[in-house]
Amino acid sequence: MATAQEKTTPCCATQNNNKVALAAPPTSSSSAPQQQSQSQQRPSVATFISAIDSPPKTASAKGITVMVRAQTSHPLDPLTAAEISVAVATVRAAGATPEVRDGMRFIEVDLVEPEKQVVALADAYFFPPFQPSLLPRTKGGPVIPTKLPPRKARLVVYNKKSNETSTWIVELREVHATTRGGHHRGKVISSTVVPDVQPPMDAVEYAECEAVVKDFPPFREAMKKRGIEDMDLVMVDPWCAGYHSEADAPSRRLAKPLIFCRTESDCPMENGYARPVEGIHVLVDMQNMVVLEFEDRKLVPLPPADPLRNYTSGETQGGVDRSDVKPLQIIQPEGPSFRVNGHFIEWQKWNFRIGFTPREGLVIHSVAYIDGSRGRRPVAHRLSFVEMVVPYGDPNDPHYRKNAFDAGEDGLGKNSHSLKKGCDCLGYIKYFDAHFTNFYGGVETIENCVCLHEEDHGILWKHQDWRTGLAEVRRSRRLTVSFICTVANYEYGFFWHFYQDGKIEAEVKLTGILSLGALQPGETRKYGTTIAPGLYAPVHQHFFVARMDMAVDCKPGEAFNQVVEVNVKVEKPGDNNVHNNAFYAEEKLLKSEMEAMRDCDPLSARHWIVSSY
């Protein structure tokens, strides 16, 4: 992910007319004196830390405040486009034979995140806000490093010719001369072939699979039976085959596509997912792009067309749009309250770093809270959503095999949106770009992939004294970091909210289009909901798996982080509960990961606390 320019918009970004609003780095006591003090303590620091941004002499009162940067790249910064190119070129050059190199397809390239002590070292010494107390100490005083360790990239590579999946670790800062005469700013540290697995499918493979299926004569004949001869109307969504038997084993790269059909070839906003094609079984070899199995099992009529189901507004399709909603404007005439330095964010008493990976999408690093005289207190090392599982409960074909792992099978990050069009975010916005490798090793950029903005959040606290009639109220404001991705028919919006009362909240918004099935006339399904004539939505669930590497700080001599479960218990009648009204909160320390595998229990108001005492 990159921030080549500061991109802001006063409301919602439209097309390419985002206006740049920059402010100079701060020269107030909140920043400059701190750096001056550090330089006095460490006079030799200038010999190995170079400033890449020279601060202007004046500072603007408006716009996003850009803080002084001490060094070019923090260890947790997402890979740049140049680093991805170097990593790909290094791996490709390391291929043993021309055939191996030609068969390489690049699924993921992401940062090898350094050890926590490296991050602490960078935060303590190389990057503001400086925290020299975090440095490792010896008898002679603090150890002053001369440089940070080289950044590394991890690559997932699929070889289309050999059907092998491998992982590579590449060091990015060391020049390595290859035997074929090329020089790359990278060095292969390790490469490992992972047997009996298949990496995520790529958009290139999706397009190739659709073309292969639509060109398959038996498929064309089956569609003709359903009244469809124009293959431009047909939508083929490759889905992973699942693992129901050894026939589905990952020794082969397989897909079992779902079929849908639009009604108009010249209507790009038509909702083709509203017309599922039932009864056709297709199995595709994604390595060689050939149809292995085909069977027209059951002729189910296509659901009738209905223009009101399309993506366009209702009025354009003969319906009626709401006309009683007046404009709602969100303005910040003096700019936002947050400050941005590369991927480092400061807002109120919070500070953290923004990261991004092809699989997870948005990652929040190094979350800390400024707590008065105690200073910067760590809260979390890393926060992200690492997987989501969507099981379908309909036992009928083809829905029984719909059990999507949208992060692992597709990649939430690689399917994210550019937010520069439409009103995905409102207010004064800072956008971040994201860089990915494509299937052939090129670098693609999703502009405005991550949105950072402030939101009013209603009342935070209020009290009115009934004796005096006087009232005090505090409004709540939150800082929101978000991205949105599309995986086939569904959209997912991921939001991390930081509040003024010290709360962090993760929110997922599910939108988009249902994955539907077709019904015979008069038919109903126990395992789904009929939503229109000939159309039903199979029952299913969405489970989101969050990875929270907490780092709640502690005083010297305190215990390290621990997880405590809290349950509300009802006191049994007796001497301690003579009025039969007593209940209390019971805490239980979860001492191991096995013990910590718990179920939610709303009847006991079960929740968990990560603490350092």
Side-chain angles (χ1 to χ4, degrees), residues 21-24 59-66 332-336 428:
L22 289 180
S60 171
K62 296 183 179 181
I64 297 176
T65 304
V66 181
Q332 293 178 271
E334 298 184 13
Y428 210 108

Side-chain angles (χ1 to χ4, degrees), residues 366-389:
S366 302
V367 181
Y369 192 83
I370 306 301
D371 185 15
S373 61
R374 293 191 65 173
R376 182 173 182 265
R377 301 186 62 185
V379 174
H381 178 70
R382 193 183 194 278
L383 304 172
S384 71
F385 284 92
V386 295
E387 188 56 274
M388 55 171 298
V389 187

Side-chain angles (χ1 to χ4, degrees), residues 27-34:
T27 57
S28 64
S29 59
S30 64
S31 177
Q34 185 181 22

Side-chain angles (χ1 to χ4, degrees), residues 302-535:
L302 289 173
D306 184 348
L308 290 178
R309 300 175 193 160
N310 293 338
Y311 305 143
T312 50
S313 60
E315 191 172 65
T316 61
Q317 300 293 337
V320 177
D321 287 333
R322 293 182 180 181
S323 59
D324 57 348
V325 178
K326 303 300 182 182
L328 176 63
Q329 296 183 349
I330 299 175
I331 60 173
Q332 293 178 271
E334 298 184 13
S337 303
F338 55 79
R339 300 197 303 165
V340 178
N341 177 7
H343 294 87
F344 182 67
I345 312 299
E346 283 188 314
W347 178 79
Q348 299 289 286
K349 296 183 179 183
W350 289 107
N351 57 75
F352 56 89
R353 292 188 174 276
I354 291 178
F356 208 88
T357 73
R359 173 173 176 151
E360 302 158 290
L362 178 61
V363 180
I364 307 295
H365 295 287
S366 302
V367 181
Y369 192 83
I370 306 301
D371 185 15
S373 61
R374 293 191 65 173
R376 182 173 182 265
R377 301 186 62 185
V379 174
H381 178 70
R382 193 183 194 278
L383 304 172
S384 71
F385 284 92
V386 295
E387 188 56 274
M388 55 171 298
V389 187
V390 190
Y392 283 71
D394 188 344
N396 295 282
D397 188 37
H399 307 289
Y400 76 91
R401 57 182 173 81
K402 290 161 63 174
N403 190 47
F405 290 79
D406 284 345
E409 292 177 345
D410 289 280
L412 301 177
K414 291 188 72 172
N415 286 283
S416 54
H417 295 184
S418 173
L419 302 177
K420 65 184 177 182
K421 297 180 180 179
C423 290
D424 300 289
C425 303
L426 294 177
Y428 210 108
I429 302 165
K430 171 68 176 73
Y431 288 112
F432 297 84
D433 297 345
H435 300 302
F436 303 100
T437 179
N438 61 28
F439 203 43
Y440 297 103
V443 179
E444 297 182 356
T445 298
I446 301 177
E447 296 182 344
N448 299 356
C449 185
V450 172
C451 171
L452 173 73
H453 70 287
E454 294 175 286
E455 296 177 343
D456 180 86
H457 196 247
I459 294 176
L460 175 63
W461 172 88
K462 181 176 182 177
H463 177 67
Q464 178 171 303
D465 192 315
W466 66 271
R467 292 181 175 84
T468 65
L470 299 178
E472 278 291 326
V473 63
R474 310 283 190 270
R475 289 205 67 79
S476 176
R477 180 182 296 200
R478 68 186 184 185
L479 182 69
T480 296
V481 194
S482 63
F483 83 104
I484 301 173
C485 65
T486 299
V487 184
N489 52 293
Y490 271 122
E491 264 78 16
Y492 303 97
F494 294 87
F495 303 80
W496 290 91
H497 303 296
F498 295 83
Y499 291 86
Q500 293 169 305
D501 60 356
K503 179 175 67 177
I504 303 174
E505 180 182 50
E507 180 183 17
V508 181
K509 295 181 180 180
L510 173 61
T511 177
I513 303 298
L514 293 167
S515 181
L516 303 175
L519 296 172
Q520 296 278 11
E523 182 185 8
T524 60
R525 286 283 172 88
K526 174 182 178 180
Y527 307 100
T529 302
T530 301
I531 61 174
L535 199 61

Side-chain angles (χ1 to χ4, degrees), residues 98-152:
E99 184 178 14
V100 169
R101 295 192 292 274
D102 291 343
M104 285 182 173
R105 299 295 182 265
F106 295 87
I107 307 299
E108 292 179 9
V109 181
D110 57 7
L111 177 72
V112 176
E113 296 174 12
E115 299 293 331
K116 293 180 180 180
Q117 60 266 28
V118 175
V119 176
L121 176 66
D123 290 340
Y125 197 77
F126 290 96
F127 293 86
F130 295 106
Q131 296 286 324
S133 62
L134 297 177
L135 289 171
R137 293 182 175 272
T138 63
K139 293 182 179 180
V143 176
I144 300 179
T146 58
K147 63 179 180 179
L148 292 170
R151 282 159 62 84
K152 297 177 182 178

Side-chain angles (χ1 to χ4, degrees), residues 25 104 189 193 204 224 251 275 280 297 314 336 358 378 394 469 493 505 532 540 554 569 589 602:
M104 285 182 173
I189 302 300
V193 174
V204 170
K224 187 175 181 180
S251 57
R275 300 187 76 210
I280 293 179
R297 295 175 174 174
D394 188 344
E505 180 182 50
H540 63 285
C554 58
K569 297 287 187 178
L589 177 63

